[in-house]
């Protein structure tokens, strides 16, 4: 089978022809129909992601497909079942072996492409805004990088939760995408973020995927008792947070990493995915997928993320 693999850390990933794996105790083999790409995939290539596997390994963190075979001890799944798996690795291949307890059944009306696009991006936003930040109806939610794969889902879910959503992105095209997802107010990256947010009454919750100076500006535009979620650092700089400002404005900075919950509270992730797949089946959410590419174009898809030229998700279909 074909797989997109990192053979040695620091070297470029490449398409390889490898043996099809067999499922072991508690595992399933999946015929992979779609795999979502993520910024973390780029970090894994550099070896800087917190959960980078030891080389060699197959890239691809979130997949959807059909159960092809089951290993010993698996009784709740059968060959032919449509499922999604937040795998962390192994998704950019024609087949993959995964722990059966990570598989989530897919409603028939949810496409494989949508299922692959939902898990990390929507799961991150849903758990961060609901479980961690406790976003309330009527609050002002500021989303930076609002047209990116994760930011766009925060706009959509924030609106579903009843918030007033302020979207920050670069350029009219990306802001139009955020507006279509439900944003109430639009701020171009060329504008002064702090000034514009303050003019709109400030932010009660900040969902920041950029870091650096963008986070600093958002921090200064946060209302007293506001909550800040530093989701990612696509801008390259990890912000240093002045604790004295937290004290004066009674602010809360909330750490959140969806992968961590797979270790100590996996049921929270499963419940979130069940909710999101149901919402998708009901038409309440619809992933914005800007590119669908074959496995042989996996590197092209990752380059779209490097260049920040994708709006929403890039999905690979092995």
């Amino acid at each position: 089978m074909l797989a997109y693999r990192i053979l040695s850390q620091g070297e470029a990933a490449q398409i390889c022809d490898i043996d099809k794996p067999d499922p072991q105790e508690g595992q399933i083999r999946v015929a992979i129909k779609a795999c979502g790409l993520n910024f973390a995939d780029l970090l894994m290539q550099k070896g800087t992601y917190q959960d980078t596997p030891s080389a060699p390994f197959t890239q691809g963190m979130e997949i959807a497909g059909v159960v092809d075979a089951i290993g010993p001890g698996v009784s709740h799944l059968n060959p032919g079942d449509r499922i999604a798996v937040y795998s962390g690795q192994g998704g950019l291949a024609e087949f993959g072996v995964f722990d059966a307890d990570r598989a989530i059944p897919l409603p028939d009306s949810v496409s494989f492409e949508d299922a692959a696009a939902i898990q990390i991006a929507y799961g991150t936003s849903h758990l961060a805004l609901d479980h961690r930040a406790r976003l309330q109806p009527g609050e002002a939610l500021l989303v930076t990088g609002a047209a990116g794969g994760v930011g766009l889902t925060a706009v959509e879910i924030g609106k579903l939760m009843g918030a007033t959503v302020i979207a920050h992105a670069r350029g009219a095209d990306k802001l139009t995408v955020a507006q279509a997802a439900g944003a109430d107010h639009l701020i171009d990256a060329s504008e002064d973020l702090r000034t514009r947010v303050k003019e709109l009454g400030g932010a009660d919750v900040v969902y920041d995927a950029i870091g650096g100076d963008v986070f600093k500006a958002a921090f200064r535009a946060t209302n007293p008792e506001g909550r800040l979620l530093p989701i990612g650092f696509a801008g390259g700089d990890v912000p240093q947070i002045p604790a004295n400002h937290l004290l004066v404005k009674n602010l809360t900075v909330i750490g959140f990493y969806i992968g961590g919950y797979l270790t100590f509270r996996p049921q929270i992730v499963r419940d979130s995915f069940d909710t999101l797949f149901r919402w998708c089946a009901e038409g309440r959410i619809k992933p914005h997928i800007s590119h669908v590419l074959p496995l042989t174009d996996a590197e092209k898809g990752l380059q779209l993320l490097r260049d920040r030229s994708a709006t929403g998700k890039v999905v690979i279909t092995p």
Side-chain angles (χ1 to χ4, degrees), residues 167-171 175 186-193 214:
H168 174 263
R170 184 174 300 280
L175 288 171
L186 307 175
I187 301 176
D188 192 275
S190 63
E191 301 179 76
D192 186 291
L193 177 60
V214 171

Side-chain angles (χ1 to χ4, degrees), residues 40 43-44 46-52 61 86 257 259:
L43 299 181
M44 283 190 190
K46 298 177 182 178
T48 57
Y49 187 61
Q50 58 263 33
D51 283 338
T52 300
M61 301 177 66
Y86 176 14
Y257 167 51

Side-chain angles (χ1 to χ4, degrees), residues 150-227:
V150 173
L152 198 61
T153 66
V155 172
E156 194 171 356
I157 289 177
K159 193 64 178 176
L160 276 175
M161 293 177 67
T164 297
V165 180
I166 305 168
H168 174 263
R170 184 174 300 280
D173 290 346
K174 291 187 176 183
L175 288 171
T176 298
V177 171
Q179 186 175 39
D184 299 283
H185 304 286
L186 307 175
I187 301 176
D188 192 275
S190 63
E191 301 179 76
D192 186 291
L193 177 60
R194 180 193 180 195
T195 299
R196 290 283 287 111
V197 174
K198 296 289 277 185
E199 289 173 351
L200 294 169
D204 300 306
V205 174
V206 172
Y207 185 101
D208 174 54
I210 304 301
D213 290 339
V214 171
F215 179 89
K216 293 175 186 176
F219 183 93
R220 298 177 70 187
T222 304
N223 292 328
E225 293 194 326
R227 289 91 73 202

Side-chain angles (χ1 to χ4, degrees), residues 246-267:
L246 296 177
L247 182 152
V248 171
K249 294 178 70 175
N250 291 290
L251 299 179
T252 302
V253 178
I254 302 171
F256 176 77
Y257 167 51
I258 188 173
Y261 280 96
L262 293 173
T263 301
F264 64 90
R265 294 189 70 183
Q267 191 59 46

